[in-house]
Amino acid sequence: MNFELTGDQTAVVDLATSLFREHGSDDHIRALHEKDASIDRPLWRKLSETGLLSIALPEAAGGAGMGMLELGLVLQQQGRFLAAVPLWTHALATLAVGTHGVPALRESVLATLLSGERPAAIATELDARAGLTATPSQQGWLLDGELPSTLLEPWHGFLLALATTPQGRRLFLLDLQHVAPERTSGRLTDLQTVCTLNFSRVFVAQDCVLDAPALDWLWPRMACCVSALQLGVLEEALSRAAAYVSERHQFGRPLGSFQALAVRAADAYIQVELLRSAQLQLAWRIDQGLPCEAAARVAKHQASQAGHIVGHTAQHFHGGVGADLQYPIHRFYLKSQAQSLIAGGAEAQLAHIGRALADTDIAEYIHE
């Protein structure tokens, strides 16, 4: 079986690498951090102009007609350069509207989403119970409740969020120009803005709600994107750590030649390759229309576990300089830890897998 990338996929990787490298030098990223800038707007415009924002959207809806595998390849390159753009949330929200929005919603917002003029965020807490309730009202819905720990920048124009309706849990696309919940904002260690959003009888139009299958559709794709971005972050962090201990000498020998470091580096490398396999399998299953809930949980678990192991390993290999807030490897560490927690950490994924195993015939679960 041939596992090599196709010509089109290679072209996508080359284009993404070129753009992210242009806007992803260590000096450029450090300057953004020093300015507390969480979004690189010139890079965002380049992504829009080249069509990478809509790479997974069907051609009929104005996209490139590729899939989650290609989007994952782009996100992997973003992770390698720590590019400060909300690519995965915007790409998924756009895809959700294009495939699960009613015609009126697609007609009103899809062109804006495709342009990237107003990026879209996603309230990533989709498990357990929804933080919002949606009550039918004349020509629309009234939203009440709280969305905690939502990654939302002031620049975002849309938010894809979960709410409980009388008919069950549904996804809503909220236009933040017209929907203004109360915000309590803070910053994560990797400079992303995180908000608690409080809704009190906030009106949204009837056509803001996506169709019922959208919720089950969204989670595996979220796991796929987060895992791909994490893969790029960890791959580059480990590469830099390996180069560092190969160049630094102690007792007349490279640090990397000492057995303790070599074994730990091998363990970290295995974690990265496990994540690569899990992420690629998940992307392939999604694109092939195969069951993917189990694969999504495994990939997200591995993204969180590898984030902890590889992130710490790469930083520790740099010794005291790894703790320097201005040194590049520290930014990779911060990003890997933030990515580990999005949409639930390793323990949360294991809990889901355990419940699924308890409720499902083991042979059927393994076959999936």
Side-chain angles (χ1 to χ4, degrees), residues 114-148:
L114 286 170
S115 72
E117 177 185 347
R118 297 167 58 210
I122 297 177
T124 57
E125 181 52 63
L126 302 180
D127 295 329
R129 63 183 185 277
L132 297 181
T133 58
T135 305
S137 72
Q138 188 175 11
Q139 298 182 335
W141 304 86
L142 294 176
L143 300 181
D144 291 279
E146 179 181 278
L147 290 177

Side-chain angles (χ1 to χ4, degrees), residues 36 38 121-125 147-156 159 182-198 338 341-343:
D36 284 342
S38 54
I122 297 177
T124 57
E125 181 52 63
L147 290 177
S149 303
T150 301
L151 296 174
L152 187 67
E153 304 288 343
W155 190 37
H156 277 119
L159 175 65
E182 180 184 345
R183 299 191 190 194
T184 304
S185 301
R187 283 291 183 93
L188 299 182
T189 53
D190 66 345
L191 294 188
Q192 294 184 91
T193 301
V194 61
C195 303
T196 294
L197 304 176
N198 286 288
L341 297 176
I342 293 176

Side-chain angles (χ1 to χ4, degrees), residues 334-355:
L334 295 178
K335 190 64 175 179
S336 67
Q337 302 315 296
Q339 286 296 118
S340 296
L341 297 176
I342 293 176
E347 293 78 9
Q349 308 312 320
L350 287 178
H352 277 280
I353 293 171
R355 286 194 292 270

